[in-house]
Amino acid sequence: MLKGKFVVIGVTGGIAAHRALDLTSTLVKAGAEVHVIMTRGAREFVGPLAFEALSGNRVHVDTFSAPPGWRYPHLELARRADIALVVPATANIMAKMAYGMADDLLTTSILAMTCPIVVCPAMNVYMYRNDIVQENIKRLRKLGFILMEPGVGRQACGDEGPGRLAAVEDIVNMIKKVLMPECDLAGSRVLVTAGGTREPIDPVRYISNRSSGKMGYALAEAAVNRGAVVHLVTAPTCLEPPDGAKIYYVNTAIEMFREVMNLYREVDVVVKAAAVSDYRPKTVSDQKIKKSDSGLVLELEKNTDILYELGKQKTHQILVGFAAETEDLIKNARQKLAKKNLDFLVANDVTQPGAGFGTDTNIAKLIFPGGRIESLPMMDKLELADRIWDEVVKLRHGKTK
Ligand code: CTP
């Protein structure tokens, strides 16, 4: 995701300096070109060789010694950087940055930088709470630096409280947010279901429905493009799974139920685009059922309503349902929205041309609790997927504020 991005990491002298190694490796794996500047203090904690091995680039330590072809290291780094990070940021570096000092390569480069600069403080809790440090943090924010909140907990020195370095995952998400504003689902873990389940009758036959899986696959693809971690639980389809999503193949409603429940706790959003069979044959014949002269009666039993169960067990998750209707669209959709405890529902009248199963387009209404209805025109399923994620992003912002 960070292919072609030039990232400068300034490492300063704190015990969390070793965690910048993890960050370097994660960013390199994501495709970034990473250049590390180490202060003298940082080198007391970690050797430059470790950063060189992980970044594949020489570590910069000295204002007066430039790599071959570079005239002035501070200007070259500043010119090339798409983003710079100070990880960890000590009280000392923040004070120097807040007042424009330039007494080493890192501070000099920072003064020359025009790219976004993310500062990740890490220090003892009493130092962090010190009014002078807090004043400097405020001043840095005002000056346009992006300050990450430190983690809270037990520190290396044994004290407890805020001052631990932010999690590497959170720093990476911040980088994605800054560099790719379209990645508005970065940091979200989403679960999408797709396709029509198949309920076996015998070894060669099953009951299913007309769902093609296109809507669910479009949702998964759009979520990957917007930076989410995507789990796609899919009933059989003829589609290529989208790159970047983790795929779970299922056949029946029971299998889908199992996979979805396994994942439910660890996701933030569930979009249930799958057409789940409401019933399954009560008995599944081991052998192919032979035709006889009389008719055949299949006894069906009810499947669990997966979305209803999710609604009952909902804690922090955003739940989005679908409703494919052939009559009384709004009335039926509103009932499903309430019964299944959903955050919103995507309803479509599958009898309309350009809507429903197998088509590349859809005509949907987004139905919200409280009565709001948004009627969307006919659009490509990928475009509709993005409209659905737009609403999810709005809800997530509301929830995390
Ligand atoms: N759904 C589900 N499990 C089921 C049936 C439906 O999770 N056993 C989900 C679908 O994935 C969809 C929503 O519930 O997001 C609505 O599905 P739909 O088939 O329209 O509604 P039902 O509740 O099954 O009601 P009916 O078939 O009577 O219209």
Side-chain angles (χ1 to χ4, degrees):
M1 295 198 84
L2 295 175
K3 206 155 185 244
K5 300 293 180 193
F6 192 103
V7 181
V8 174
I9 306 181
V11 185
T12 70
I15 184 67
H18 70 277
R19 303 222 356 244
L21 289 169
D22 254 4
L23 178 67
T24 304
S25 149
T26 308
L27 295 178
V28 168
K29 279 186 202 144
E33 170 156 5
V34 179
H35 280 258
V36 176
I37 304 175
M38 294 183 84
T39 62
R40 197 152 52 82
R43 282 173 296 172
E44 296 290 328
F45 288 90
V46 188
L49 196 58
F51 283 104
E52 292 193 353
L54 292 172
S55 68
N57 289 312
R58 198 176 120 178
V59 165
H60 309 272
V61 293
D62 184 1
T63 321
F64 303 103
S65 109
W70 292 30
R71 277 183 71 193
Y72 309 106
H74 64 296
L75 297 184
E76 201 66 40
L77 286 164
R79 189 179 63 77
R80 294 188 186 203
D82 293 300
I83 191 165
L85 316 159
V86 185
V87 182
T90 57
N92 182 48
I93 191 80
M94 290 196 292
K96 292 206 277 186
M97 287 164 67
Y99 288 91
M101 286 182 70
D103 63 351
D104 63 5
L105 179 58
L106 180 56
T107 45
T108 314
S109 306
I110 286 173
L111 278 187
M113 280 172 177
T114 52
C115 64
I117 301 175
V118 179
V119 183
C120 307
M123 68 198 71
N124 170 269
V125 51
Y126 297 107
M127 291 172 78
Y128 182 72
R129 284 186 181 145
N130 187 302
D131 288 345
I132 303 173
V133 172
Q134 288 302 317
E135 278 304 313
N136 287 339
I137 286 177
K138 255 193 233 153
R139 188 173 159 81
L140 287 171
R141 280 211 172 97
K142 245 197 233 153
L143 291 167
F145 292 93
I146 301 160
L147 268 290
M148 296 276 306
E149 285 297 321
V152 179
R154 194 179 154 81
Q155 302 195 306
C157 55
D159 288 333
E160 299 251 356
R164 290 160 59 101
L165 185 70
V168 167
E169 194 189 341
D170 294 339
I171 301 173
V172 173
N173 283 333
M174 178 59 83
I175 298 170
K176 286 185 193 163
K177 253 190 220 165
V178 173
L179 289 183
M180 296 173 279
E182 71 278 15
C183 275
D184 51 5
L185 286 171
S188 300
R189 296 153 302 173
V190 311
L191 164 58
V192 176
T193 67
T197 60
R198 291 179 177 177
E199 310 300 324
I201 298 169
D202 67 16
V204 298
R205 303 179 180 97
Y206 55 80
I207 296 174
S208 191
N209 55 65
R210 292 179 187 274
S211 171
S212 64
K214 284 181 182 169
M215 192 63 236
Y217 278 53
L219 279 158
E221 186 184 336
V224 169
N225 291 342
R226 292 169 77 148
V229 172
V230 180
H231 301 275
L232 173 63
V233 177
T234 174
T237 70
C238 301
L239 305 171
E240 274 293 312
D243 285 341
K246 189 156 187 331
I247 317 286
Y248 306 78
Y249 292 103
V250 298
N251 280 297
T252 63
I254 291 179
E255 288 167 13
M256 182 170 279
F257 179 58
R258 237 178 257 140
E259 287 292 3
V260 166
M261 291 325 271
N262 276 342
L263 292 163
Y264 192 38
R265 271 169 190 229
E266 61 180 79
V267 297
D268 310 298
V269 185
V270 180
V271 183
K272 274 220 90 255
V276 185
S277 291
D278 289 328
Y279 296 94
R280 62 174 179 267
K282 192 164 183 186
T283 51
V284 181
S285 169
D286 289 342
Q287 304 299 329
K288 186 180 172 203
I289 300 172
K290 289 288 173 198
K291 67 172 169 292
S292 67
D293 290 339
S294 55
L296 175 71
V297 175
L298 278 178
E299 193 181 348
L300 303 179
E301 65 185 356
K302 238 181 135 189
N303 273 324
T304 306
D305 187 326
I306 305 171
L307 196 49
Y308 176 74
E309 286 304 317
L310 296 178
K312 266 203 318 199
Q313 297 182 30
K314 178 156 99 172
T315 52
H316 61 287
Q317 298 90 344
I318 290 171
L319 277 191
V320 183
F322 271 71
E325 304 291 345
T326 55
E327 57 185 357
D328 293 333
L329 179 73
I330 307 276
K331 188 172 140 241
N332 287 330
R334 279 200 171 128
Q335 274 169 5
K336 286 176 192 176
L337 179 79
K339 187 176 157 209
K340 302 189 188 199
N341 191 18
L342 306 178
D343 290 272
F344 67 97
L345 184 131
V346 185
N348 58 312
D349 176 347
V350 288
T351 61
Q352 270 183 290
F357 302 124
T359 58
D360 289 327
T361 56
N362 213 340
I363 308 167
K365 290 188 194 310
L366 307 185
I367 318 259
F368 297 87
R372 179 161 80 92
I373 295 182
E374 199 168 326
S375 298
L376 301 173
M378 187 195 298
M379 56 176 73
D380 195 66
K381 283 184 174 166
L382 201 53
E383 206 181 332
L384 175 58
D386 268 318
R387 281 293 297 109
I388 292 167
W389 291 123
D390 288 346
E391 294 302 328
V392 168
V393 167
K394 280 187 216 158
L395 284 167
R396 265 184 74 66
H397 285 170
K399 286 205 167 176
T400 49
K401 253 180 209 164

